[in-house]
């Protein structure tokens, strides 16, 4: 079993809830990365995710800037093959299982296959499920896929079960960057009851209460991105969840 995935599995087995901070290379300068990481001196996230739906900046440069500021594990969260970088601890090999666009089910993966295989990066096959967050998000527009409606818990559960049966090692429930509403807790809970793989939840988590509710519903890890980008001091609110 691989290193980062083993850590996630071990944390879950021990009942430890995990937190990842998502940094979009287009939205964080080296100065902002330095400032963000300086806020974590008393408590820190478990992982730093790097990537986005549409990234025009140099992902590798952003990763290098992060490494200069912290030793936290860095996990690549790529929106396309163009965001690949070898200088990370693990790669979420995302398959957009909630959609029907073959480009994000297998197309981008095929383009990246040789590079990923020869890089030696730890690969974690992850089922990516886009859930309606109340607004049209970047990932919905770029991927050309419809999100699962918030009220269609049965569709979300069936999709999650299918992902697990296909051998995916984690499920990522995503309301989308800048979502008006997070993934419904009822949906997280229903999926948690039916699958055994780790569940990650992200998008629209703008308060400590929303994060705590996601954990209570069954999320093993939450991801916070836009809220931290817009207000780095939101970290102090997040830290209260773990105090």
């Amino acid at each position: 079993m691989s290193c980062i995935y083993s850590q996630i599995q071990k944390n879950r087995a021990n009942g430890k809830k995990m937190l990842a901070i998502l940094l979009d290379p287009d939205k964080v300068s080296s100065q902002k990365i330095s400032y963000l990481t300086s806020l974590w001196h008393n408590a820190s996230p478990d992982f730093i995710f790097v990537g986005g739906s549409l990234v025009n900046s140099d992902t590798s440069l952003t990763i290098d800037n992060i490494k200069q500021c912290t030793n936290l594990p860095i996990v690549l969260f790529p929106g396309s093959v163009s965001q690949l970088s070898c200088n990370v601890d693990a790669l979420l090999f995302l398959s957009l299982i909630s959609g029907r666009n073959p480009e994000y089910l297998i197309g981008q993966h095929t383009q990246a296959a040789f590079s990923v295989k020869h890089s030696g990066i730890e690969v974690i096959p992850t089922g990516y499920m886009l859930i309606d967050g109340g607004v049209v998000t970047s990932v919905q527009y770029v991927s050309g896929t419809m999100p699962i409606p918030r009220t269609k818990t049965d569709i979300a559960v069936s999709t999650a079960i299918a992902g697990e049966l296909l051998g995916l090692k984690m499920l990522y429930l995503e309301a989308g960057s800048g979502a008006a509403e997070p993934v419904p807790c009822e949906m997280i809970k229903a999926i948690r009851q039916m699958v055994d793989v780790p569940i990650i939840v992200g998008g629209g988590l703008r308060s400590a209460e929303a994060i705590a509710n996601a954990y209570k519903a069954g999320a093993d890890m939450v991801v916070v991105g836009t809220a931290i980008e817009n207000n780095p001091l939101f970290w102090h609110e997040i830290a209260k969840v773990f105090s």
Side-chain angles (χ1 to χ4, degrees), residues 56-80:
N56 295 306
S57 302
D58 187 337
T59 302
S60 294
L61 179 59
T62 298
I63 292 168
D64 288 341
N65 289 334
I66 294 170
K67 285 181 174 288
Q68 291 177 18
C69 298
T70 179
N71 292 321
L72 288 172
I74 300 175
V75 178
L76 195 61
F77 177 66
S80 70

Side-chain angles (χ1 to χ4, degrees), residues 55-183:
V55 172
N56 295 306
S57 302
D58 187 337
T59 302
S60 294
L61 179 59
T62 298
I63 292 168
D64 288 341
N65 289 334
I66 294 170
K67 285 181 174 288
Q68 291 177 18
C69 298
T70 179
N71 292 321
L72 288 172
I74 300 175
V75 178
L76 195 61
F77 177 66
S80 70
V81 65
S82 65
Q83 297 175 33
L84 283 179
S85 174
C86 297
N87 193 24
V88 292
D89 297 287
L91 160 69
L92 296 186
F93 212 49
L94 300 167
S95 183
L96 184 51
I97 60 175
S98 61
R100 299 297 181 265
N101 185 343
E103 185 65 20
Y104 294 95
L105 283 169
I106 189 62
Q108 290 284 318
H109 313 69
T110 302
Q111 294 181 49
F114 275 103
S115 296
V116 172
K117 181 72 172 180
H118 293 299
S119 70
I121 299 173
E122 176 186 350
V123 176
I124 308 176
T126 303
Y128 188 81
M129 295 173 54
L130 182 59
I131 312 298
D132 180 24
V135 296
V136 176
T137 58
S138 295
V139 62
Q140 179 181 344
Y141 185 84
V142 171
S143 68
T145 65
M146 291 291 292
I148 296 174
R150 299 178 59 78
T151 57
K152 300 297 183 181
T153 298
D154 55 341
I155 295 177
V157 171
S158 295
T159 302
I161 293 172
E164 182 179 46
L165 293 176
L166 283 167
L168 298 172
K169 294 183 176 180
M170 297 198 299
L171 294 171
Y172 195 130
L173 313 184
E174 170 74 286
S177 175
E181 301 177 90
V183 177

Side-chain angles (χ1 to χ4, degrees), residues 4-22:
I4 297 297
Y5 186 66
S6 291
Q7 183 178 342
I8 292 171
Q9 289 282 61
K10 182 179 179 180
N11 287 343
R12 184 177 174 224
N14 292 332
K16 182 185 185 303
K17 298 297 186 178
M18 292 163 279
L19 173 70
I21 299 298
L22 173 60

